[in-house]
Amino acid sequence: MKLPTPLIELEKLRVDFGGSGGRRVRAVRDVDLTIYQGETLGLVGESGCGKSTLGRATVRVTEPTGGTIRYLGADITTLRGAHFRQTRAELQMVFQDPFGSLNPRRTVADIVAEPLLRARRTPRPEARRIVDDLLDQVGLGREAGTRRPHEFSGGQRQRIGIARALAPAPTFVVADEPVSALDVSIQAQVINLLADLIRERGLTMLFISHDLGVVRHIADRIAVMYLGEIIEIASRDDFFAGPAHPYGEALLSSVPTLSRQPRRERIELTGDLPDPAAPPAGCTFHTRCRYAVDRCRTEAPALTEVAAGRQVRCHFPLLPVKGPA
Amino acid sequence: MSGETLLEIRGLTVGFDVPAGRLPAVAGVDLSLRRGEILALVGESGSGKSALSMSLVGLNRGPGAHIGGEVLFHGRDLVTAGERELRGVRGKDIAVVFQDSLAALNPTQRIGDQVAEMIRAHRKVTRGQAGRRAEELLGEVGIAGPAQAARAYPHQLSGGMRQRVMIAIGLANDPAVLIADEPTTALDVTIQAQVLRLLTKLQSEHGTAIVLITHDLGVVAEVADRVAVMYAGRIIEQGTRDEVLFDPQHPYTMGLLSSVPRVDGPAVARLPAIAGNPLTGVARPAGCAFAPRCPFAHDACRAEMPPLRRRYGGTAHVDRCVLDDAARTRARGALEVLAP
Ligand SMILES: Nc1ncnc2c1ncn2[C@@H]1O[C@H](COP(=O)(O)OP(=O)(O)OP(=O)(O)O)[C@@H](O)[C@H]1O
Ligand SMILES: Nc1ncnc2c1ncn2[C@@H]1O[C@H](COP(=O)(O)OP(=O)(O)OP(=O)(O)O)[C@@H](O)[C@H]1O
Ligand code: SF4
Ligand SMILES: [Mg+2]
Ligand SMILES: [Mg+2]
């Protein structure tokens, strides 16, 4: 392995939402995270834990409340105007809600071409060619370019979003559930396409997904989030060999599998679901953790390195007995 | 599973006018749904699953949309039923949980009010009662702090929270038939397990019949009683869970099963995908719609559309493929479809 170069560095990144009825949600709570050039970091976690918000803030689709974002060493947290326009073209996002993020009045070709024309200032004929090629590559076919988003199925819309994000040849893409609406065969095609781009163009990706099978196939490292915080970071193989955080353990045990026999040992998460506007004291997972003891209810664990390249936020990390020396 | 038939779909077609002509989104589907069963509808993206489910309660009527065939529910044909009659059925007898929550929820109304409104549309309850029931439903689908969350607007919720709001709306009136279009795609697997438990509880305790549209074959394996696989507007294979998932007969189904990325077993560098693109235009080939992508296609496949009927496999197992038993066995081997 080459010595990894950081592409994106998040430092104490924070996003607060002032919600209805005095409900202030700290969606992203002081996240420190480094994403290295050419890697795919898989981001998983409970629904509502802040994955999309973290992804959006990283490319400044949502403005962070605090902290810093560095891109190739330069602070881009408050960059504006023409400087930011250039950077914007390099940092792209595939949105989780394909329909909500596609302008219903424009044709698919216009939607996909937009970041090329606006941020990259690509001449129209060349943009046209790039768009046609991308529509073919994502399996929609170039003819789809003349139609409008509402005429497409959920999975087809999702591919429009992927084509749009890839159009300006970005260096970094936040892909928020990019294949969740695709049947497994088209999903395999799109994942293989992304894998090719990663290899050929050195694309770096933050890949958000609930599908652990997909994450296992595309990600080099895995980050797990819970209530606005990163609670585990591990290499792909380490994570799938056995998560070190009790939440990760429950997550992996709940993956529905294609087997004739109904599921064996699933760790059911019981206990109170924490309200993101009022996170529990101590370890935020203690209300549902099957290993919790008194210390967990009062003292918040820090994200701690427990093995090479592996960090966990738990007082009692679950580690293999014969761990690396 | 020998409940009475609740919903009988016969020769259903849905066509959309597009610049190039009429797109056959659903090209003749026969399907019956029994009380208390979970039928999984799987298939290619764009194969007509959502169009089919929306047409059952007339949700995609409109200029440029053409719906034909019959949907029989308690002796009534919902395809020809008037809008007034449908409004009485929708959300009460037959509820649909939509795939796209951001498009389906009203952005300017608090989510608690949207759930309560569905309750009040079909029941004589006070505003307060409906509001309390709405909060209860939000809690049942696993939304934390339901009383607080009820006051939020859709854009203030995460994708998975919105999806659960859609499920809560679907369950609001204890429907006899629930059509859930990708209800758990935006949910992490622990909350997904909770929602699936809720669905199976409805099925066993209330006899609710559920059509579960999903791409997740693991979910299908966990909860479905029967499975129908769609390709290009038609059902190409149908049978019990065990028949379809563990003894697939159609090469498209075999291809799907071999493409599933798994969390166990060896990690592969490249996922097996079915080569070629699905049909998206208005034109359809004369024979089997899958022939242009099928690695096992030969001349007989291109001659005419194979009818949906029992050929090999279990007694309830039907498919649309001309291959003989030996060729199917070879195909399963070539695609390395996991042995049961
Ligand atoms: N615009 C907003 N206004 C107020 N609160 C918001 C807003 N966007 C998100 N939130 C809240 O922030 C929290 C995190 O939401 P986010 O969408 O990042 O979750 P997520 O991890 O992506 O979930 P999912 O897996 O369901 O997509 C949630 O509690 C959500 O309600
Ligand atoms: N309003 C519309 N106008 C024109 N074409 C449409 C319209 N709605 C759907 N279609 C087309 O009909 C076909 C079936 O779409 P449908 O949404 O039913 O697919 P689906 O099976 O639900 O796919 P997915 O799994 O991606 O959600 C697609 O080719 C789609 O492009
Ligand atoms: S710190 Fe305690 S409560 Fe939190 S995950 Fe670890 S064992 Fe469970
Ligand atoms: Mg999200
Ligand atoms: Mg659909």
Side-chain angles (χ1 to χ4, degrees):
Chain A
M1 240 221 294
K2 286 178 301 191
L3 215 66
T5 321
L7 185 82
I8 299 276
E9 291 160 283
L10 307 179
E11 216 180 278
K12 297 242 169 307
L13 195 74
R14 180 147 51 86
V15 184
D16 296 342
F17 292 112
S20 45
R23 178 183 146 94
R24 183 159 152 280
V25 175
R26 293 183 61 192
V28 174
R29 309 199 287 151
D30 301 322
V31 164
D32 294 318
L33 186 66
T34 303
I35 304 171
Y36 298 96
Q37 234 166 58
E39 82 165 339
T40 296
L41 179 67
L43 183 60
V44 302
E46 182 151 76
S47 165
C49 71
K51 301 178 298 297
S52 297
T53 308
L54 176 64
R56 294 166 68 103
T58 303
V59 293
R60 287 186 52 206
V61 171
T62 295
E63 291 295 350
T65 317
T68 26
I69 309 163
R70 265 190 290 279
Y71 170 58
L72 287 170
D75 187 340
I76 60 158
T77 325
T78 54
L79 204 61
R80 316 218 164 266
H83 295 293
F84 189 56
R85 189 171 53 77
Q86 277 195 344
T87 309
R88 168 45 41 88
E90 286 167 17
L91 311 178
Q92 288 291 316
M93 172 122 195
V94 179
F95 292 94
Q96 180 173 14
D97 273 287
F99 199 61
S101 64
L102 302 173
N103 184 337
R105 282 179 294 278
R106 310 194 55 195
T107 65
V108 167
D110 284 348
I111 290 171
V112 176
E114 200 222 61
L116 276 169
L117 301 174
R118 273 237 313 246
R120 286 271 190 231
R121 303 272 155 97
T122 312
R124 270 185 190 275
E126 195 192 327
R128 174 90 242 172
R129 221 190 44 244
I130 296 174
V131 169
D132 282 352
D133 286 348
L134 272 168
L135 289 177
D136 284 342
Q137 283 180 316
V138 297
L140 286 173
R142 54 189 65 202
E143 317 80 60
T146 57
R147 293 164 64 190
R148 282 168 220 280
H150 75 270
E151 297 174 28
F152 289 90
S153 76
Q156 291 167 335
R157 289 172 195 170
Q158 203 163 43
R159 282 173 281 164
I160 299 170
I162 293 172
R164 174 178 61 183
L166 296 178
T171 49
F172 177 66
V173 173
V174 175
D176 195 355
E177 296 283 0
V179 294
S180 63
L182 305 180
D183 67 82
V184 286
S185 173
I186 302 281
Q187 173 177 287
Q189 277 184 21
V190 171
I191 291 173
N192 290 341
L193 167 70
L194 291 174
D196 290 344
L197 292 172
I198 290 164
R199 216 186 37 238
E200 289 159 17
R201 297 191 196 160
L203 185 70
T204 305
M205 202 158 50
L206 179 64
F207 191 94
I208 303 173
S209 177
H210 285 305
D211 189 325
L212 292 168
V214 168
V215 169
R216 176 170 180 238
H217 279 87
I218 196 146
D220 304 301
R221 285 195 304 150
I222 315 285
V224 188
M225 255 181 114
Y226 190 80
L227 270 188
E229 293 177 315
I230 304 274
I231 56 163
E232 176 162 3
I233 298 182
S235 73
R236 188 253 321 256
D237 290 345
D238 283 351
F239 180 80
F240 283 96
H245 194 285
Y247 174 71
E249 183 196 35
L251 203 59
L252 197 57
S253 83
S254 300
V255 175
T257 50
L258 235 183
S259 56
R260 208 187 261 272
Q261 299 319 320
R263 183 84 198 174
R264 323 111 327 199
E265 2 66 53
R266 162 175 294 158
I267 302 165
E268 247 181 59
L269 285 182
T270 50
D272 284 346
L273 274 171
D275 180 350
C283 169
T284 52
F285 186 56
H286 85 248
T287 55
R288 297 158 81 199
C289 181
R290 58 182 186 152
Y291 305 106
V293 296
D294 281 347
R295 181 179 170 203
C296 307
R297 296 180 191 101
T298 51
E299 188 188 329
L303 191 62
T304 312
E305 177 129 13
V306 292
R310 184 157 210 187
Q311 293 170 289
V312 186
R313 191 186 293 279
C314 171
H315 294 308
F316 309 101
L318 312 160
L319 284 174
V321 189
K322 45 170 182 42
Chain B
M1 277 308 127
S2 55
E4 68 193 286
T5 298
L6 271 184
L7 197 66
E8 178 87 41
I9 301 169
R10 290 193 197 141
L12 188 72
T13 57
V14 181
F16 293 110
D17 290 334
V18 295
R22 185 169 301 174
L23 188 115
V26 179
V29 163
D30 299 303
L31 199 62
S32 61
L33 188 65
R34 294 175 214 130
R35 197 178 132 78
E37 78 168 340
I38 297 186
L39 172 76
L41 193 56
V42 304
E44 174 222 8
S45 166
S47 62
K49 303 179 296 296
S50 299
L52 173 104
S53 58
M54 303 232 276
S55 67
L56 299 182
V57 281
L59 282 165
N60 48 6
R61 291 178 175 181
H66 307 268
I67 302 169
E70 293 179 331
V71 175
L72 302 173
F73 178 70
H74 288 318
R76 281 182 290 180
D77 179 8
L78 301 181
V79 170
T80 52
E83 188 52 34
R84 250 186 84 105
E85 194 179 348
L86 280 180
R87 259 204 303 273
V89 173
R90 228 180 261 154
K92 180 166 167 281
D93 301 311
I94 305 179
V96 184
V97 175
F98 294 98
Q99 183 172 14
D100 208 323
S101 62
L102 205 55
L105 291 169
N106 179 348
T108 63
Q109 195 183 16
R110 297 180 194 274
I111 57 142
D113 293 342
Q114 300 194 42
V115 181
E117 197 162 89
M118 179 53 97
I119 299 171
R120 279 165 59 81
H122 296 289
R123 285 175 193 216
K124 286 197 171 55
V125 291
T126 65
R127 202 172 281 278
Q129 285 169 326
R132 276 191 299 279
R133 177 73 188 126
E135 279 171 26
E136 235 171 73
L137 281 162
L138 292 174
E140 281 174 29
V141 295
I143 290 183
Q148 297 273 1
R151 293 211 289 277
Y153 292 95
H155 78 272
Q156 297 176 320
L157 301 179
S158 77
M161 292 161 85
R162 278 197 298 270
Q163 200 168 40
R164 282 172 280 163
V165 173
M166 299 293 302
I167 297 171
I169 293 176
L171 302 182
N173 293 301
D174 297 321
V177 177
L178 179 72
I179 297 158
D181 196 349
E182 297 284 359
T184 61
T185 35
L187 305 182
D188 63 90
V189 288
T190 64
I191 305 246
Q192 169 172 280
Q194 185 181 343
V195 168
L196 294 178
R197 275 198 299 277
L198 187 65
L199 293 185
T200 45
K201 192 173 136 214
L202 277 174
Q203 171 207 23
S204 57
E205 289 176 11
H206 297 271
T208 312
I210 300 173
V211 179
L212 180 68
I213 302 177
T214 179
H215 288 304
D216 191 327
L217 297 171
V219 167
V220 175
E222 296 230 337
V223 301
D225 299 305
R226 282 197 301 145
V227 184
V229 186
M230 280 186 81
Y231 191 86
R234 288 192 170 86
I235 292 177
I236 52 103
E237 177 161 4
Q238 186 183 310
T240 64
R241 161 197 184 270
D242 284 0
E243 286 169 349
V244 175
L245 295 183
F246 303 109
D247 186 27
Q249 297 294 326
H250 194 287
Y252 175 67
T253 314
M254 298 176 198
L256 276 188
L257 288 164
S258 71
S259 300
V260 176
R262 304 179 64 101
V263 291
D264 50 5
V268 294
R270 245 182 139 63
L271 287 167
I274 302 171
N277 284 329
L279 300 166
T280 47
V282 295
R284 291 286 183 268
C288 165
F290 187 56
R293 295 171 74 196
C294 182
F296 314 105
H298 51 91
D299 287 348
C301 308
R302 299 183 190 93
E304 62 181 45
M305 166 70 65
L308 185 68
R309 63 175 173 78
R310 173 152 192 277
R311 292 182 170 83
Y312 306 100
T315 48
H317 207 163
V318 293
D319 69 78
R320 282 184 195 273
C321 175
V322 301
L323 295 183
D324 64 21
D325 203 19
R328 291 173 186 218
T329 305
R330 281 196 300 277
R332 280 189 289 263
L335 290 171
E336 296 180 33
V337 179
L338 287 153

